[in-house]
Amino acid sequence: MKKLLLAIALFSASLVVLESCSPKATTGATSVRRGNVTGNWMLNNISFEGIPDVAVRSFLGESSYKCFVGSTWSLTNSGNGSYNLPASANCGAKSQDIFWSVNSSDGTFQFKKLYEGDKAKNVTEGYRMMLTNADDNTMTIKSPIEYSGSTAYVVMNFVKSVK
């Protein structure tokens, strides 16, 4: 009986050791923290996955995705932030206050627009996008869009700017 209990205990201990040494499975999602996103960014390029650019008529509440190319985004650690759209042939210059957050568990970046007198807790509409990369120099955010019965993406590529 003692030998059987000793064998079971030894087997159980072996399983615990093997489990703790085995590689952990990942979901493939990039683990990005709020600290990776905090700072000043310039949106230098917008590309598309699964959709032609001419099919995207408006984007993030603006008349064209082109309005965002060259925009600067200031994202503070408190969640307050803003983006500034540059003036161009098709778009007027604009500054927009936002409240933003990162959900590390599902890899999303979300923000809501704040207008004069708004409190973030009272604003119920916003934007939720996939944060696929954020490091010391670059950040990539993919905005899902429905196209021909499937999900396509508007891909925003940012570079860190010094302020």
Side-chain angles (χ1 to χ4, degrees):
M1 182 70 166
K2 285 184 182 181
K3 288 183 181 182
L4 180 61
L5 289 175
L6 183 60
I8 292 172
L10 186 58
F11 179 73
S12 297
S14 298
L15 284 178
V16 169
V17 169
L18 289 175
E19 179 63 29
S20 66
C21 294
S22 64
K24 304 299 179 230
T26 61
T27 60
T30 306
S31 176
V32 180
R33 298 178 338 245
R34 179 182 201 86
N36 297 103
V37 178
T38 301
N40 297 304
W41 299 91
M42 184 180 82
L43 198 165
N44 66 337
N45 180 28
I46 293 180
S47 59
F48 304 89
E49 290 180 6
I51 187 170
D53 62 341
V54 295
V56 181
R57 302 216 188 278
S58 64
F59 184 62
L60 300 178
E62 298 299 323
S63 60
S64 172
Y65 71 88
K66 295 176 183 176
C67 296
F68 285 91
V69 177
S71 63
T72 55
W73 295 61
S74 175
L75 306 172
T76 67
N77 195 41
S78 68
N80 294 308
S82 64
Y83 63 79
N84 296 298
L85 304 179
S88 67
N90 299 321
C91 309
K94 179 179 180 180
S95 181
Q96 178 65 59
D97 290 331
I98 62 173
F99 189 80
W100 68 278
S101 64
V102 169
N103 186 336
S104 298
S105 64
D106 66 0
T108 57
F109 173 84
Q110 51 222 2
F111 75 91
K112 28 188 168 180
K113 294 181 178 182
L114 300 178
Y115 298 98
E116 186 71 33
D118 281 346
K119 292 187 178 194
K121 68 180 182 178
N122 297 331
V123 177
T124 58
E125 294 180 3
Y127 303 93
R128 186 178 182 97
M129 300 169 274
M130 296 169 42
L131 181 58
T132 59
N133 172 57
D135 58 34
D136 292 338
N137 301 310
T138 62
M139 177 169 64
T140 304
I141 298 175
K142 295 169 79 171
S143 180
I145 188 168
E146 188 70 26
Y147 181 70
S148 294
S150 62
T151 303
Y153 298 95
V154 177
V155 182
M156 299 180 292
N157 297 297
F158 294 83
V159 293
K160 193 85 164 229
S161 50
V162 179
K163 194 166 193 183

